[in-house]
């Protein structure tokens, strides 16, 4: 072939291929889902580009995917008339992994295939999953808007390298042929493929078609003749955008498969919310909470956000403007009737409609989490363990929803014996002592340090619960959380601790007497410490330790000072 070159796969691709073939054997059929999903994405991308340039349709505007089988040759071909790829795009898209989090993913692999197959599921498999069932894959593609001689052929056996060559391809789009492995020939079967499509790809919004052979003329039950049916392409899926359908007609399975398509995730979502909003702003949102945090949750450049559609037309992936940062784990889509079709990221940035949509979506997610917390504590705990630390950014970022977010927080507590963050503020308030007005907490470097804080002693003695905060983000969180349900928060390591009505009169007297007895000690400590401290005071908060350091009520806590130091301030 013309202009043929051989390229090596990026190291990570080789690793991924190897891993996939050896760990996904129990889930082979997902290759078809991945390839159909890509074809649907390619159709979306073409529609979007054609908004500005109708000519890209080249008189072939009925976008679809066609799956065909050649039993004798043991091949399956998946062909679309979507956006296609140029030679450069082929080399990058089918030779490297562009995904963010790739480095983290590979650093987490253990070599234990059971564990790794879990990880790979989280990472997502995509195009390369073709090699689970094929020992040779041919991709023939031509980008929309290019001439027929700009076609490209990519061939690989999925080992170390691939070839690319120029070809002539009159039809726009991408055609992928899988040469099935010796022991995977069962897939070269129309019925088998049909059932896989209806299992995984029913929700795809363009027609997924398979060839139906001609039916010859035949006799009916009463001897009448039934006319022959010609062979034809037949749609095997519903081919309507899932989110436009009525909620009551969509099964959980369909929602789950759709999630995998929009999120490129492999695992099932934890939960979802599908809403149609009518009135001043009109939109449909379908929002999912994943079951696992992505590898790059803490990477600032991580791509996140919703898939944006305007009046059913795909506009962009990762539209960040519709979700606050503390909900960046949410996946899904938004279909707006109000935004213009030619909307760009810049227009979205500073836009009234965007703001309304963002508020609406934020509210939905918080409601969805509240519902989960209320109805399924176990599932909520799973969510919290994966994403709790992200949600803790909420009170600082989203003032108006502070109370709602606070209600969703979970803490470790002196009430329990483990570091598990399971206690809600409502649990805490429900257990408050008679006369207790504040929510007490302590922040430290770790759960262990919080748990053994000398400040806790008096609370233990009095049986008052204290929230134990040992995560890095906790100090930041607490500096933005002043009250919940009209109860204010009180750090037990800050300033003069007034236990208010919790102190009884007799103790107070005894304390005053005790203070008089050791007055001299205070003066001596003050002189010895000099400028290094602001003040030395008596405290009755300690029962076992002789002394402890406290931060000024209004100043930075010792934890915050450490945080600032770590940040180089
Ligand atoms: P993902 O779909 O998560 O981006 P994949 O591994 O499935 O990752 O695909 C890699 C890339 O290859 C896609 O992002 C896309 O750019 C390109 N690609 C794959 N299949 C097609 C197709 N049928 N038409 C056009 N481009 C495709
Ligand atoms: Mg894909």
């Amino acid at each position: 072939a013309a202009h043929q070159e051989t390229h090596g796969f990026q190291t990570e691709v080789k690793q991924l291929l190897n891993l996939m073939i050896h760990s996904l054997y129990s889930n082979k059929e997902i290759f078809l889902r991945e390839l159909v999903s890509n074809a649907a994405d390619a159709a979306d991308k073409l529609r979007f580009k054609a908004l500005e340039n109708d000519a890209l349709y080249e008189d072939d505007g009925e976008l679809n995917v066609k799956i065909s089988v050649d039993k004798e040759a043991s091949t399956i071909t998946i062909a679309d008339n979507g956006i296609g790829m140029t030679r450069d795009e082929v080399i990058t898209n089918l030779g490297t992994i562009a995904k963010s989090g790739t480095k983290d993913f590979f650093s987490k692999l253990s070599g234990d295939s059971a564990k790794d197959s879990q990880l790979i599921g989280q990472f997502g498999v995509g195009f390369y999953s073709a090699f689970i069932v094929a020992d040779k894959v041919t991709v023939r593609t031509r980008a929309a808007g290019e001439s027929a001689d700009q076609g490209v052929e990519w061939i690989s056996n999925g080992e170390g390298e691939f070839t690319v060559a120029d070809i002539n391809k009159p039809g726009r789009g991408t055609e992928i042929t899988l040469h099935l492995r010796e022991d995977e020939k069962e897939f070269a079967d129309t019925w088998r493929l049909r059932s896989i499509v209806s299992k995984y790809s029913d929700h795809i919004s363009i027609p997924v078609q398979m060839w139906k052979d001609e039916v010859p003329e035949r006799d009916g039950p009463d001897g009448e003749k039934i006319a022959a049916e010609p062979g034809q392409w037949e749609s095997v899926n519903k081919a309507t955008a899932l989110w436009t359908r009525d909620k009551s007609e969509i099964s959980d399975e369909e929602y789950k498969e759709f999630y995998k398509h929009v999120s490129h995730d492999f695992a099932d979502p934890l939960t979802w919310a599908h809403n149609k909003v009518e009135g001043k702003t009109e939109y449909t949102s379908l929002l999912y909470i994943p079951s696992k945090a992505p590898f790059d949750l803490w990477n600032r450049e991580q791509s996140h956000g919703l898939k944006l559609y305007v009046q059913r037309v795909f506009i962009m992936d990762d539209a960040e403007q519709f979700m606050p940062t503390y909900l960046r784990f949410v996946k899904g889509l938004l279909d707006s009737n109000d935004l213009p079709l030619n909307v760009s990221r810049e227009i979205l940035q500073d836009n009234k409609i965007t703001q309304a949509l963002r508020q609406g979506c934020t509210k939905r997610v918080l409601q969805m989490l509240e519902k989960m917390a209320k109805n399924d504590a176990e599932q909520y705990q799973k969510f919290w363990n994966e994403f709790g630390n992200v949600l803790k950014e909420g009170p600082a970022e989203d003032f108006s929803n502070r109370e709602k977010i606070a209600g969703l927080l979970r803490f470790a507590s002196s009430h329990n014996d483990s570091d598990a963050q399971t206690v809600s503020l409502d649990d805490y308030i429900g257990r408050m002592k008679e006369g207790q007005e504040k929510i007490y907490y302590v922040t430290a470097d770790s759960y262990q340090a919080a748990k053994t804080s000398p400040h806790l002693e008096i609370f233990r003695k009095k049986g008052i619960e204290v929230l134990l905060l040992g995560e890095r983000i906790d100090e930041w969180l607490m500096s933005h959380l002043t009250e919940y349900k009209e109860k204010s928060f009180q750090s037990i390591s800050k300033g003069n601790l007034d236990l208010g009505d919790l102190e009884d009169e007799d103790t107070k007297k005894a304390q005053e007497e005790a203070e008089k007895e050791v007055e001299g000690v205070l003066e001596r400590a003050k002189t010895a410490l000099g400028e290094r401290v602001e003040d030395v005071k008596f405290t009755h908060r300690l029962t076992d330790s002789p002394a402890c350091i406290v931060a000024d009520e209004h100043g930075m806590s010792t934890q915050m000072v450490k945080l600032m130091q770590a940040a180089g301030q």
Side-chain angles (χ1 to χ4, degrees), residues 409-427:
L409 300 174
R410 295 293 180 270
F411 301 93
S413 150
S414 62
H415 188 80
N416 296 333
D417 249 345
S418 89
D419 63 349
Q421 297 172 13
T422 55
V423 174
S424 72
L425 293 175
D426 291 314
D427 295 337

Side-chain angles (χ1 to χ4, degrees), residues 34-35 37-42 45 80 82-85 89 93-94 96 99 125-128 141 173-176 264:
E34 297 299 326
L35 298 179
S37 172
N38 285 348
D41 288 344
K45 288 178 196 163
D80 66 63
I83 188 92
M85 286 178 273
E89 285 166 346
N93 295 341
L94 311 185
T96 59
K99 231 175 145 109
V125 289
F127 167 78
Y128 301 108
T141 184
T174 305
E175 187 183 293
I176 299 175
H264 303 262

Side-chain angles (χ1 to χ4, degrees), residues 283-301:
Y283 65 95
T284 301
S285 63
L286 175 50
L287 307 171
Y288 290 92
I289 310 285
S291 53
K292 279 274 173 203
F295 290 94
D296 52 355
L297 188 63
W298 297 101
N299 176 353
R300 283 189 175 276
E301 272 102 71

Side-chain angles (χ1 to χ4, degrees), residues 354-377:
T354 307
Q355 280 170 18
L357 290 170
R358 179 188 171 106
Q359 269 171 21
C361 290
T362 303
K363 206 173 103 198
R364 290 286 172 210
V365 174
L366 295 177
Q367 274 172 358
M368 165 159 59
L369 293 174
E370 272 167 1
K371 208 168 119 195
M372 198 198 326
K374 199 165 142 231
N375 300 338
D376 192 342

Side-chain angles (χ1 to χ4, degrees), residues 39-319:
D41 288 344
D44 271 351
K45 288 178 196 163
L46 175 62
R47 265 199 214 107
F48 174 66
K49 245 184 139 178
L51 287 174
E52 284 201 336
N53 179 8
D54 218 22
L56 291 178
Y57 284 128
E58 305 171 18
D59 300 323
D60 177 18
E62 306 261 317
L63 303 185
N64 58 43
V65 199
K66 290 188 166 75
I67 303 176
S68 51
V69 171
D70 183 337
K71 234 184 161 104
E72 252 140 65
S74 285
T75 60
I76 304 173
T77 298
I78 296 111
D80 66 63
N81 55 356
I83 188 92
M85 286 178 273
T86 63
R87 188 177 174 113
D88 285 348
E89 285 166 346
V90 167
I91 294 170
T92 336
N93 295 341
L94 311 185
T96 59
I97 307 174
K99 231 175 145 109
S100 66
T102 304
K103 230 175 98 193
D104 282 355
F105 167 69
F106 283 100
S107 71
K108 284 202 176 129
L109 293 173
S110 61
D112 172 339
S113 71
K115 273 191 204 143
D116 289 350
S117 70
Q118 279 288 320
L119 283 180
I120 199 180
Q122 255 176 280
F123 184 70
V125 289
F127 167 78
Y128 301 108
S129 64
F131 289 100
I132 303 175
V133 297
D135 52 16
K136 178 180 166 192
V137 175
T138 307
V139 178
R140 305 174 81 251
T141 184
R142 198 258 293 164
E146 301 287 345
S147 53
D149 62 357
Q150 295 295 304
V152 189
E153 183 176 68
W154 177 104
I155 301 177
S156 177
N157 60 12
E159 278 162 12
E161 46 196 32
F162 59 89
T163 60
V164 278
D166 293 344
I167 55 163
N168 204 62
K169 187 173 183 298
R172 169 199 69 229
T174 305
E175 187 183 293
I176 299 175
T177 300
L178 312 182
H179 302 259
L180 296 171
R181 292 175 189 277
E182 196 55 49
D183 44 357
E184 309 296 350
K185 299 205 160 158
E186 49 163 319
F187 286 107
D189 177 273
T190 312
W191 287 104
R192 180 77 200 274
L193 295 178
R194 257 176 195 260
S195 81
I196 302 176
V197 170
S198 48
K199 181 168 169 195
Y200 293 111
S201 306
D202 212 21
H203 59 78
I204 292 291
S205 54
I206 53 171
V208 179
Q209 304 182 321
M210 293 187 73
W211 183 255
K212 186 164 175 270
D213 281 335
E214 143 190 52
V215 184
E217 187 188 63
R218 58 204 189 279
D219 292 328
D222 302 321
E224 80 279 20
K225 290 280 176 210
I226 301 178
E229 292 166 30
Q232 58 190 315
W233 289 103
E234 189 186 53
S235 291
V236 294
N237 66 332
K238 292 198 181 75
T240 42
L242 177 122
W243 67 94
T244 63
R245 287 163 50 196
D246 208 75
K247 262 199 226 185
S248 60
E249 286 162 16
I250 307 173
S251 70
D252 286 1
E253 280 316 310
E254 285 180 288
Y255 276 122
K256 287 180 190 171
E257 284 310 324
F258 188 73
Y259 165 74
K260 293 172 189 171
H261 170 60
V262 292
S263 68
H264 303 262
D265 191 354
F266 185 99
D268 282 342
L270 211 51
T271 185
W272 58 87
H274 181 192
N275 291 96
K276 234 176 231 158
V277 177
E278 275 155 13
K280 219 166 73 192
T281 45
E282 290 196 2
Y283 65 95
T284 301
S285 63
L286 175 50
L287 307 171
Y288 290 92
I289 310 285
S291 53
K292 279 274 173 203
F295 290 94
D296 52 355
L297 188 63
W298 297 101
N299 176 353
R300 283 189 175 276
E301 272 102 71
Q302 178 229 27
S303 60
H304 57 96
L306 304 178
K307 226 174 153 95
L308 176 66
Y309 286 77
V310 171
Q311 295 163 36
R312 320 271 176 278
V313 181
F314 167 77
I315 304 292
M316 63 178 83
D317 281 309
D318 308 324

